[in-house]
Amino acid sequence: MYVLPNKYIDMSLESPQTPQENLRKEPTQEDLQAADQLIIENELLAQNPRVKMLQENNFVTEDGRQLDAGNFLAAMLDYIGTQEAGSLTEEDISAAVANNS
Amino acid sequence: MTQVWQNLQEDLQVALRILGWDCDFRQFVEESLPLLLQDISDETLTLEKLMEAQFLCAKGLANLAMHSSSFERFEKIKHGLSQHEDAGTFLAIIGMDETTYWQRRPGLTDAEYQEVKHGQWTVQELLERRPALILAPCLRPTSFNN
């Protein structure tokens, strides 16, 4: 059995900044253009009224917090993707079933 | 063996077999996860704290899977959960209400959810009573329906 080495624990705990800690800064015009582009390229985001509202409000939330638009949207896409797919693909499961049958 | 572990054991064994890791998941949950969550363990459990706990769990598993083919997928899960301060906005965007998020498999019972809504649980209590909820984003769709 694999014992989790302390270094992995340490790495997780030592990480000086989560993406959250980098978030609260004024977006540059370039940031906003990149976010707009991401929305144009992704139907899921483009059709979402909440995303549209955030976009129109320069990614300031209702409670006045400034989001890092690019990072927020990229994380949202990963979140949606993993909500649908999780960590394991159908291929993984098929291969495991084949190997264990 | 506690009921919590009876519920988790089968799911975790399936995940282990599929991922092909020689990893002791029980040790991860009992020993590593408390360390990963130690900074927030005394905090009141909220939607944001649940997502933060899931984020820290995914981060630990991504580190474990660093040399496996699953690494990129765990990194995606971790990144997807990284905006935990905005958990409410995320749920609004995916069109899910908070009750559903807490109660879908392997979620809380009605009574447990009411306790959480009234601020009666800490992150530590979630870890002790419902560890599967912390692991859920990393194990779907092996065991849990979305």
Side-chain angles (χ1 to χ4, degrees):
Chain A
M1 284 291 182
Y2 185 82
V3 176
L4 184 66
N6 282 338
K7 65 179 180 177
Y8 291 136
I9 301 287
D10 291 346
M11 279 173 58
S12 296
L13 295 175
E14 277 174 6
S15 297
Q17 288 184 317
T18 68
Q20 287 293 307
E21 292 165 317
N22 285 322
L23 281 183
R24 314 306 175 201
K25 59 176 186 183
E26 283 294 314
T28 63
Q29 202 56 36
E30 202 172 66
D31 291 336
L32 293 174
Q33 283 173 356
D36 289 345
Q37 191 61 36
L38 199 57
I39 291 170
I40 289 168
E41 289 170 0
N42 288 277
E43 202 175 333
L44 265 174
L45 298 177
Q47 292 182 350
N48 191 290
R50 184 80 178 220
V51 171
K52 194 172 175 63
M53 190 200 72
L54 285 170
Q55 186 183 23
E56 287 169 354
N57 205 27
N58 285 344
F59 293 89
V60 177
T61 61
E62 291 96 329
D63 55 358
R65 289 176 308 108
Q66 176 67 61
L67 302 177
D68 176 336
N71 198 31
F72 181 84
L73 293 175
M76 174 57 67
L77 288 173
D78 278 343
Y79 183 73
I80 291 169
T82 54
Q83 286 286 307
E84 290 168 354
S87 58
L88 303 167
T89 64
E90 280 186 33
E91 290 75 25
D92 286 329
I93 294 168
S94 300
V97 169
N99 289 337
N100 286 283
S101 59
Chain B
M1 182 178 288
T2 65
Q3 186 62 44
V4 167
W5 279 109
Q6 284 174 2
N7 292 342
L8 262 178
Q9 190 179 38
E10 191 176 328
D11 293 335
L12 294 180
Q13 281 177 344
V14 171
L16 266 180
R17 199 166 61 229
I18 291 171
L19 293 169
W21 294 348
D22 189 14
C23 163
D24 185 338
F25 251 104
R26 182 165 183 165
Q27 184 190 31
F28 176 78
V29 175
E30 288 191 334
E31 297 178 20
S32 305
L33 201 49
L35 286 174
L36 293 164
L37 301 180
Q38 66 183 358
D39 287 349
I40 61 169
S41 64
D42 292 335
E43 295 190 29
T44 302
L45 184 61
T46 60
L47 179 65
E48 290 77 13
K49 286 298 157 192
L50 169 63
M51 197 182 279
E52 185 173 359
Q54 291 172 333
F55 164 73
L56 292 168
C57 176
K59 194 171 175 179
L61 286 173
N63 283 339
L64 262 181
M66 196 174 288
H67 303 295
S68 86
S69 59
S70 302
F71 175 69
E72 279 191 21
R73 272 175 275 150
F74 278 106
E75 279 289 296
K76 269 186 179 292
I77 292 169
K78 182 183 87 176
H79 186 230
L81 295 164
S82 66
Q83 309 301 302
H84 42 78
E85 276 184 31
D86 297 296
T89 304
F90 267 42
L91 287 196
I93 288 174
I94 65 170
M96 184 180 290
D97 66 85
E98 192 173 335
T99 307
T100 304
Y101 189 80
W102 282 101
Q103 295 198 282
R104 64 180 174 164
R105 261 198 95 208
L108 304 178
T109 63
D110 283 338
E112 288 170 335
Y113 179 61
Q114 287 309 313
E115 289 175 4
V116 169
K117 288 299 285 178
H118 287 91
Q120 294 170 353
W121 281 35
T122 61
V123 173
Q124 181 63 30
E125 281 171 295
L126 177 68
L127 178 63
E128 290 169 2
R129 295 169 68 175
R130 291 288 182 159
L133 202 51
I134 302 174
L135 286 156
C138 295
L139 296 183
R140 285 192 178 92
T142 317
S143 337
F144 311 126
N145 296 320
N146 278 319

